[in-house]
Every structure is written in structure tokens, then in C-alpha cells.
């Protein structure tokens, strides 16, 4: 589940359209593929095809780039759930659609792990347990899934939402460790069956 705004460090004469976006996109790929600690500013500049010295027009530190990556991920998550809301009229249909989108990432997850789960785990370790902006990468989908279960009349909607996301994240870990995309595909099918078994009399259709 995909950057907007301009850094206050950018001068109007020095800003070049697309450079900031290329830096954030390169950082997203590198943080996912090799992790936060192993990724350097030089790596990001090379991947983005931007001179290393130019990075500082946009970001003073690597932490600022990491924050921009988080914001880009948050934007993508919100765009994804907005699209699912628009395309599917029922909570059950929306949950099944999300499961399908997550399962579609199985080849990427098998290679590098879940983009959100691995980033959150790494940043939480670096923050020594303190709250970090990356927690939104988990909280936003949990809140959305909880809303779907609430719409089905489930009083245990929060617990079901946590279980739903935990099932995906657990499957993502196994998929990555075992390099087995079929693990995520199998768990996706199981989640869909679980959603399908919910009593349809509890489901309330909502406008798209």
C-alpha cells in the first residue's frame, strides 16, 4: 500500500523539478532493499542520479530523507484504501480487495520483506522503543480494517483488525525468510475465506 511538499531548505533558484521526487523514490527502494543502516546519502544520490552535494538543498540529514520516505508510504497507503473504498461497496468486498492487493506483492516480499513491516521494525529499534512516525504505517491500515469490521456489526472489530494485519505481517516474514511467495498466496486465500464466512446479515452496504 505510495511525496509531496518542498523542503524548507530548498531555494527557489536552486530547486529543480523532479530532483526531490527522485531522491525520495531512490531512498524508498534502497531502504527496502538494504535497510536504513546500510543505506548512505551517497547510495541515494547515485541511485537518483543526483550529485551528492545537491542532496543538501533538499535534506540536511539522512533522517530527513527517512521521514520523507515514511510520508510517501503513508500517502500510498491512504491512496490505496481510498481506491478500495471507491471501487467496492461493502466492507466484506473491501477487505477481500485489500487482501488481493497485499498478496499481489508476494514476489517483492519474498525478495526483500514487507516494505512497511521491515521499515517499522528497523526504525523502532533505532528509536529505542520511542514512538516513531513509522508507526502510522501500521496504525492507518489497522484503523481502516477496524472500520470495516465495525460496519459488519462486530463488537470485537479492533481485535479482528489487529489479527488481520498481524496475519499479513506474519505471512510476510515467513514469505521473506523462506523465499516462498506461495506462503503469502496461501495466507491470502485463508484470510479471504475467513472474511467470506462472516454472517452477511451483519454486513452493511456503504456508498462508494
Amino acid at each position: 500500500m505510495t511525496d509531496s511538499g518542498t523542503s524548507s531548505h530548498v531555494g527557489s533558484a536552486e530547486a529543480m523539478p523532479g530532483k526531490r521526487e527522485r531522491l525520495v523514490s531512490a531512498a524508498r527502494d534502497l531502504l527496502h532493499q538494504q535497510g536504513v543502516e546500510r543505506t548512505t546519502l551517497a547510495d541515494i544520490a547515485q541511485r537518483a542520479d543526483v550529485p551528492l552535494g545537491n542532496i543538501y538543498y533538499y535534506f540536511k540529514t539522512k533522517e530527513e530523507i527517512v521521514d520523507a520516505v515514511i510520508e510517501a508510504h503513508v500517502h500510498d497507503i491512504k491512496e490505496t484504501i481510498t481506491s478500495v473504498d471507491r471501487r467496492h461497496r461493502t466492507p466484506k468486498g473491501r477487505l477481500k480487495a485489500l487482501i488481493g492487493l497485499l498478496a499481489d506483492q508476494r514476489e517483492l516480499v519474498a525478495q526483500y520483506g514487507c516494505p512497511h513491516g521491515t521499515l517499522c521494525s528497523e526504525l523502532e529499534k533505532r528509536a529505542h522503543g520511542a514512538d516513531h512516525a513509522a508507526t502510522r504505517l501500521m496504525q492507518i491500515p489497522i484503523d481502516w480494517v477496524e472500520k470495516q469490521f465495525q460496519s459488519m456489526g462486530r463488537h470485537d472489530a479492533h481485535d479482528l483488525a489487529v489479527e488481520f494485519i498481524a496475519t499479513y505481517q506474519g505471512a510476510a516474514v515467513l514469505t521473506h525468510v523462506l523465499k516462498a511467495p506461495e506462503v503469502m498466496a496461501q495466507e491470502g486465500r485463508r484470510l479471504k475465506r475467513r472474511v467470506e464466512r462472516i454472517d452477511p446479515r451483519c454486513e452493511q452496504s456503504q456508498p462508494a
Side-chain angles (χ1 to χ4, degrees):
M1 295 174 187
T2 62
D3 149 65
S4 62
T6 303
S7 171
S8 60
H9 311 305
V10 182
S12 58
E14 296 160 325
M16 293 179 61
K19 272 192 176 181
R20 186 182 191 279
E21 290 75 14
R22 295 208 308 274
L23 288 166
V24 174
S25 178
R28 285 181 63 163
D29 290 344
L30 288 168
L31 295 185
H32 186 206
Q33 294 168 9
Q34 59 189 39
V36 176
E37 294 298 332
R38 291 179 57 196
T39 300
T40 66
L41 292 177
D43 293 334
I44 295 170
Q46 182 177 26
R47 175 70 66 92
D49 194 23
V50 172
L52 179 57
N54 284 16
I55 287 185
Y56 300 101
Y57 291 134
Y58 302 90
F59 306 101
K60 282 187 174 180
T61 65
K62 189 170 80 172
E63 290 303 318
E64 288 191 0
I65 298 183
V66 171
D67 288 341
V69 167
I70 293 169
E71 290 304 319
H73 279 303
V74 167
H75 178 267
D76 280 355
I77 293 171
K78 291 180 177 180
E79 286 286 306
T80 295
I81 61 179
T82 296
S83 176
V84 170
D85 283 340
R86 186 182 304 116
R87 292 170 179 267
H88 302 275
R89 297 187 62 84
T90 66
K92 184 181 294 187
R94 291 169 181 164
L95 288 172
K96 291 167 68 176
L98 179 62
I99 294 166
L101 290 173
L102 295 174
D104 286 345
Q105 300 181 59
R106 57 189 178 274
E107 297 291 341
L108 181 66
V109 171
Q111 190 170 5
Y112 299 116
C114 171
H116 303 153
T118 55
L119 181 59
C120 287
S121 179
E122 187 172 1
L123 291 178
E124 283 303 308
K125 290 177 182 178
R126 296 172 80 239
H128 303 293
D131 289 338
H132 195 283
T135 59
R136 288 182 295 161
L137 301 180
M138 295 295 166
Q139 195 61 54
I140 291 171
I142 288 174
D143 291 345
W144 182 83
V145 173
E146 180 177 357
K147 180 181 176 182
Q148 308 313 309
F149 283 121
Q150 286 173 340
S151 296
M152 295 181 203
R154 295 298 300 247
H155 299 296
D156 55 349
H158 178 71
D159 291 342
L160 288 172
V162 171
E163 181 183 12
F164 185 101
I165 299 300
T167 298
Y168 163 69
Q169 288 298 332
V173 170
L174 286 176
T175 296
H176 177 50
V177 171
L178 300 176
K179 297 293 185 282
E182 63 272 16
V183 170
M184 181 165 290
Q186 179 180 347
E187 285 303 298
R189 291 191 293 269
R190 189 169 70 86
L191 267 178
K192 283 186 177 181
R193 288 196 298 269
R194 185 186 305 172
V195 169
E196 190 59 42
R197 284 196 296 267
I198 295 176
D199 188 345
R201 291 173 298 177
C202 297
E203 186 175 10
Q204 302 172 6
S205 178
Q206 297 181 353

